[in-house]
Amino acid sequence: MKILITGSNGQVGSCLVNRLQLKPEIEFLALTRQELDITDPAQVDTIVKHFNPDVIINAAAYTAVDKAEQEADLCYAINRDGPRFLAEAAHKNGALLLHISTDYVFSGEKQGVYDEEDPVAPQGVYGQSKLAGELAIVKICPRHIILRTAWVFGEHGGNFVKTMLRLAKTRDSIGVVADQFGGPTYAGDIADTLIAIVEKVMNKGVNVFGVFHFSGLPHVSWHIFAQKIFEKAEEQHLLDKIIVVNPISTSEYPTPAKRPSNSRLSNIKLNNVYGIKPSDWQKALTDLSNYK
């Protein structure tokens, strides 16, 4: 089996590379944005035609949520046009396309958990561009898996866990939003999920395509997530002081882009179809020395 990975130096892309290196039966080509610009259709077409992958995993994305409000053209180029070009190349070459999307396609105003059939209503440029990428893939490439996830963190790239640990070095107390809720999701678990889906489709003939949700449990607020990070850091002797985490409201921490107050995603469909359980984000915090 041959797998092409885009965005290979991002949070999920790096984890994919680490895991696929342990699977000698899989040949993979992992490319960074510098090596493959997915917004260039000619480049996408050439690389896909030359490598001839059975599977394409798109881990490339524009994820600067606030900056996207000022860089809409670039954001749409990466999050809408790039997936469209990959979908065209995948369909032309008979490849399965896996694509990572986001909770930001929803308004965040629902009371319960979001499932795959809930109406989408993105509130900012980032979410709108990601939804546009989803729609392009659905229209062009029938053999697709769109995996929506939320609150991604891991050892690679920038994320909330690293930010908290960095702030703890210079502060004794930190204010963290307590009225936004979601499921923190470990990037390594996303990589494992993508690989598991690929293996079930390619080796076991599971041909259920479409949109799936994958995120972590239990659902918490950012405030509770931060508290748990510091608890784990103290247990691992990475902090020499107790950090006070003060709950604040979204209105006390204004940002250029609106955040969903509810990012809780249901994992039931993914579990029923592919037998994949939600991300255990607390387990992923057991060795915070790797989050540098």
Side-chain angles (χ1 to χ4, degrees):
M1 191 195 317
K2 296 171 72 175
I3 300 178
L4 172 66
I5 301 168
T6 66
S8 66
N9 57 346
Q11 288 199 85
V12 177
S14 298
C15 292
L16 279 167
V17 170
N18 291 341
R19 281 148 177 77
L20 288 174
Q21 285 173 340
L22 303 175
K23 290 181 173 285
E25 72 277 13
I26 297 176
E27 179 185 351
F28 70 93
L29 176 62
L31 301 175
T32 65
R33 185 182 176 185
Q34 289 68 38
E35 294 164 329
L36 171 56
D37 179 0
I38 64 171
T39 69
D40 182 339
Q43 202 178 127
V44 169
D45 199 49
T46 299
I47 285 176
V48 172
K49 193 180 295 181
H50 181 262
F51 183 61
N52 193 26
D54 302 294
V55 180
I56 299 172
I57 302 179
N58 181 32
Y62 181 108
T63 57
V65 175
D66 289 324
K67 216 170 169 187
E69 298 297 314
Q70 282 75 48
E71 295 184 344
D73 289 348
L74 178 60
C75 184
Y76 270 94
I78 297 170
N79 291 346
R80 176 196 61 196
D81 301 342
R84 175 161 62 89
F85 301 143
L86 288 168
E88 289 170 347
H91 186 49
K92 193 189 306 181
N93 289 269
L96 169 68
L97 175 63
L98 284 81
H99 172 74
I100 303 166
S101 194
T102 174
D103 58 297
Y104 275 73
V105 299
F106 297 114
S107 68
E109 294 170 2
K110 184 180 178 180
Q111 293 304 305
V113 297
Y114 278 99
D115 63 38
E116 291 81 356
E117 304 306 316
D118 279 319
V120 289
Q123 300 295 295
V125 170
Y126 168 69
Q128 290 160 2
S129 70
K130 291 296 286 184
L131 177 59
E134 287 189 13
L135 295 174
I137 289 169
V138 171
K139 185 177 179 181
I140 295 164
C141 184
R143 295 183 76 236
H144 68 264
I145 298 285
I146 294 168
L147 195 71
R148 291 179 184 148
T149 189
W151 293 23
V152 181
F153 71 94
E155 298 89 346
H156 310 279
N159 55 69
F160 184 77
V161 174
K162 288 189 177 184
T163 298
M164 290 299 104
L165 294 173
R166 186 183 73 248
L167 292 175
K169 293 177 181 177
T170 57
R171 300 189 192 179
D172 296 321
S173 66
I174 300 172
V176 180
V177 171
D179 57 0
Q180 295 173 18
F181 297 86
T185 313
Y186 176 50
D189 290 340
I190 298 173
D192 287 337
T193 294
L194 292 166
I195 294 168
I197 291 171
V198 166
E199 290 177 335
K200 291 199 174 183
V201 172
M202 303 302 291
N203 300 335
K204 298 185 178 176
V206 180
N207 288 309
V208 182
F209 306 121
V211 177
F212 292 85
H213 289 174
F214 176 73
S215 66
L217 286 177
H219 293 136
V220 290
S221 66
W222 288 111
H223 174 256
I224 298 296
F225 187 24
Q227 285 184 319
K228 187 58 69 173
I229 293 165
F230 295 133
E231 276 177 32
K232 294 286 188 181
E234 288 168 29
E235 288 171 11
Q236 295 164 41
H237 307 292
L238 298 174
L239 288 177
D240 56 5
K241 59 187 175 182
I242 294 174
I243 306 296
V244 177
V245 187
N246 297 311
I248 63 173
S249 66
T250 298
S251 60
E252 292 176 88
Y253 189 74
T255 54
K258 183 182 177 185
R259 265 69 175 165
S261 59
N262 176 20
S263 292
R264 291 173 290 194
L265 302 178
S266 168
N267 290 257
I268 292 173
K269 180 182 175 183
L270 187 67
N271 184 244
N272 287 345
V273 175
Y274 286 100
I276 295 168
K277 295 189 176 352
S279 174
D280 184 349
W281 61 266
Q282 294 184 84
K283 183 181 177 184
L285 299 177
T286 52
D287 189 0
L288 288 170
S289 62
N290 293 322
Y291 292 75
K292 294 174 182 174

